[in-house]
Amino acid sequence: MVLNVSFRVATIDDCYAIAQLFQIASDGVCDYIWSTLAAEYPALTPLEIGAKRYANPDNPFGYKNCLIAESNGAIAGMMTSFATVNAADSSPLETQSTPVDKPISDQPDVLAPYSLEVPNTWYICALALFPEFRGQGIGTQFLKLAHQQAKNHELSELSLLCFEQNVRAFQLYQRHGFQVIGRTPVVPHPLIHYTGDLLLMTAPVIPST
């Protein structure tokens, strides 16, 4: 375990690091989303597009719903999470800028699988660490904080999405009580790192002792 780790609520100054960590957590999905928004943000790199979006205080995926882990003054990782109150009111993936009226196309909808959701849960939409901070128990500490956040919001269950082929993440979540309750095939795309299935996983919130 890392002894010198502290956790805090993110600030707007963290948004570029948040975008970097979302890029890691999404395994290419955010890269795809940001690439579709390039025309809206001329002259910005994909990471700069992500940072600009996470700086929006009204974006549920933004910095206001993000916790930062720091080790010796350096950002080690982040977790972004929020309540899915009603399945009709929110989407578990950061897709708010995709057009509502999509043009008719014979191409598959790359983002369709990421609409999997369980209402009335505390949804962990991104949890990521920079490589040099992995394997030191920080992810476990983030999950403990997620349980506390869920209890603070009077929710009894956590939920998240995980690529089946992301064995490291899948095993972490299994060790912490998450079980697969749904799955859907990933729509292949060159920017997305995995194929196979996308898993919807839930875990009961640990009651206070």
Side-chain angles (χ1 to χ4, degrees):
M1 296 290 289
V2 174
L3 298 179
N4 249 342
V5 175
S6 60
F7 296 85
R8 61 173 175 82
V9 177
T11 71
I12 196 167
D13 294 331
D14 299 315
C15 287
Y16 191 83
I18 291 171
Q20 291 176 303
L21 289 159
F22 254 107
Q23 188 177 51
I24 292 169
S26 71
D27 288 304
V29 178
C30 281
D31 293 282
Y32 171 78
I33 294 170
W34 299 336
S35 72
T36 68
L37 302 175
E40 296 180 34
Y41 299 94
L44 295 187
T45 67
L47 277 171
E48 288 170 340
I49 292 172
K52 190 172 184 65
R53 290 173 62 74
Y54 301 137
N56 179 353
D58 297 323
N59 184 349
F61 303 87
Y63 73 94
K64 287 198 170 182
N65 287 330
C66 182
L67 294 178
I68 295 289
E70 287 185 324
S71 178
N72 299 318
I75 292 179
M78 69 89 173
M79 179 178 71
T80 301
S81 56
F82 52 84
T84 57
V85 177
N86 186 303
D89 294 338
S90 62
S91 170
L93 186 67
E94 199 258 312
T95 58
Q96 290 94 332
S97 283
T98 53
V100 174
D101 297 318
K102 296 181 180 179
I104 296 174
S105 171
D106 59 358
Q107 298 300 310
D109 183 355
V110 173
L111 299 179
Y114 308 96
S115 61
L116 284 174
E117 182 179 344
V118 183
N120 301 311
T121 62
W122 190 254
Y123 177 68
I124 301 170
C125 71
L127 195 166
L129 303 172
F130 287 119
E132 62 268 32
F133 295 103
R134 294 173 189 166
Q136 301 180 71
I138 300 174
T140 293
Q141 293 180 70
F142 268 131
L143 291 176
K144 289 179 179 178
L145 290 170
H147 280 276
Q148 186 59 55
Q149 289 176 317
K151 285 183 280 192
N152 292 345
H153 287 80
E154 300 183 340
L155 295 170
S156 61
E157 199 168 32
L158 302 175
S159 64
L160 55 83
L161 296 176
C162 179
F163 288 105
E164 186 175 35
Q165 292 180 351
N166 188 344
V167 176
R168 185 187 182 102
F170 180 63
Q171 290 177 343
L172 170 70
Y173 298 136
Q174 278 193 317
R175 288 198 303 271
H176 289 277
F178 284 85
Q179 295 185 337
V180 177
I181 65 162
R183 63 173 65 225
T184 190
V186 174
V187 177
H189 187 275
L191 290 174
I192 297 176
H193 303 170
Y194 297 113
T195 54
D197 281 354
L198 182 72
L199 307 177
L200 178 61
M201 305 182 75
T202 60
V205 171
I206 299 172
S208 300
T209 56

